[in-house]
Amino acid sequence: MNITLRVWRQQNADTPGAMQTYQVADVSPDMSFLEMLDVLNEQLTLAGDDPIAFDSDCREGICGMCGLVINGLAHGPNELVTTCQLHMRSFSDGDVIDVEPWRAQPFSVIKDLVVDRSSFDRIIQAGGFISAPTGTAPDAHAAPVPKADADAAFDAATCIGCGACVAACPNGSASLFVAAKITHLGLLPQGQPERDSRALDMLAQHDEEGFGGCTQIGECTAACPKGIQIDLISRMQRDVLGALSHRR
Ligand code: SF4
Ligand code: FES
């Protein structure tokens, strides 16, 4: 396959960026999207040009590092996949593909396609933890958790913090991410001591970072590679209301 890429190039957050066009020849349909970018970067490096900066780590859909807007869609055209799980067989010979970074005010561009997602770390630090000692594995197994709650907590825990929900949201909201983290811990007995403060503190940090509010548009859940469901946002809002009523 021969592919034309239009890639966002930007030196840093303070300099203006622009799309630049590149040709990539002999692309195997079995290559992942990131492997195709690796090939392009090798070409650029051998030609003495600056390679395109993009994030990746596990390349198995589990770490949340990768994240590109491909033809206007966070993580590209396929459902329930991260960018590293997207393969070139999803495109056709001769395609022109636009590649851009996550665009949201709290995600400033570090370089090219790499954005600063440390705001997510600060949201987690604000309350996405438990302080109860959980002991070793047998101790954890001794704490009774209803199967439905364990399953729902596990589903919420599959959020990898990639930020696609923010990139897809017209409001630039990180509500799906925050809701997943609040739900995961809020459904488990070990998460109860900080349940109220967790909801209030994480949401307050979310707002302080400059993320927008949720208006239930649903683009977040459509873009989420882990299938985190939008009803978790309603659950988060109920937790926040509950926490506020307990404070009276
Ligand atoms: S909710 Fe989904 S899209 Fe958002 S950060 Fe978690 S895994 Fe990524
Ligand atoms: S590189 Fe880890 S999820 Fe894509």
Side-chain angles (χ1 to χ4, degrees):
M1 298 163 66
N2 293 316
I3 299 291
T4 301
L5 289 181
R6 296 192 301 203
V7 183
W8 185 260
R9 302 300 310 261
Q10 185 172 347
Q11 202 55 35
N12 56 52
D14 300 323
T15 53
M19 298 298 264
Q20 283 192 25
T21 302
Y22 303 95
Q23 307 294 334
V24 195
D26 299 326
V27 173
S28 161
D30 296 329
M31 277 181 186
S32 74
F33 199 85
L34 299 187
E35 285 169 339
M36 183 274 298
L37 287 179
D38 290 339
V39 169
L40 172 58
N41 271 348
E42 201 169 334
Q43 286 174 26
L44 293 175
T45 306
L46 288 173
D49 293 332
D50 194 18
I52 299 160
F54 63 91
D55 260 334
S56 73
D57 190 0
C58 70
R59 298 201 177 196
E60 292 180 344
I62 54 177
C63 77
M65 277 301 285
C66 63
L68 301 174
V69 174
I70 299 166
N71 285 341
L73 297 167
H75 288 306
N78 296 356
E79 289 184 358
L80 299 175
V81 294
T82 54
T83 301
C84 61
Q85 294 172 304
L86 177 67
H87 285 83
M88 294 311 295
R89 67 180 80 97
S90 302
F91 301 91
S92 304
D93 186 30
D95 272 1
V96 179
I97 305 172
D98 287 350
V99 190
E100 298 171 82
W102 284 173
R103 296 196 188 277
Q105 187 258 324
F107 289 167
S108 58
V109 171
I110 295 172
K111 188 169 190 243
D112 298 334
L113 304 171
V114 178
V115 299
D116 180 0
R117 284 174 288 178
S118 58
S119 50
F120 271 21
D121 298 334
R122 290 188 289 277
I123 291 172
I124 293 291
Q125 286 160 4
F129 52 82
I130 59 166
S131 60
T134 53
T136 56
D139 300 315
H141 289 145
V145 181
K147 175 84 166 73
D149 287 352
D151 287 350
F154 182 83
D155 286 346
T158 59
C159 165
I160 54 174
C162 62
C165 44
V166 179
C169 176
N171 303 328
S173 177
S175 290
L176 195 66
F177 164 74
V178 179
K181 300 304 172 190
I182 287 176
T183 299
H184 164 209
L185 296 174
L187 280 170
L188 298 173
Q190 297 90 339
Q192 298 314 306
E194 291 103 354
R195 183 168 172 177
D196 285 357
S197 61
R198 176 180 308 112
L200 296 176
D201 293 348
M202 290 185 79
L203 205 59
Q205 190 66 38
H206 167 277
D207 294 351
E208 194 178 319
E209 297 289 347
F211 292 105
C214 175
T215 48
Q216 300 273 329
I217 290 168
E219 290 292 332
C220 56
T221 198
C224 176
K226 298 299 164 185
I228 304 290
Q229 294 297 305
I230 197 168
D231 61 338
L232 295 198
I233 296 179
S234 307
R235 197 181 182 287
M236 170 182 76
Q237 289 162 342
R238 286 198 300 276
D239 262 26
V240 169
L241 283 175
L244 290 172
S245 68
H246 298 155
R247 272 193 172 177
R248 284 201 189 135

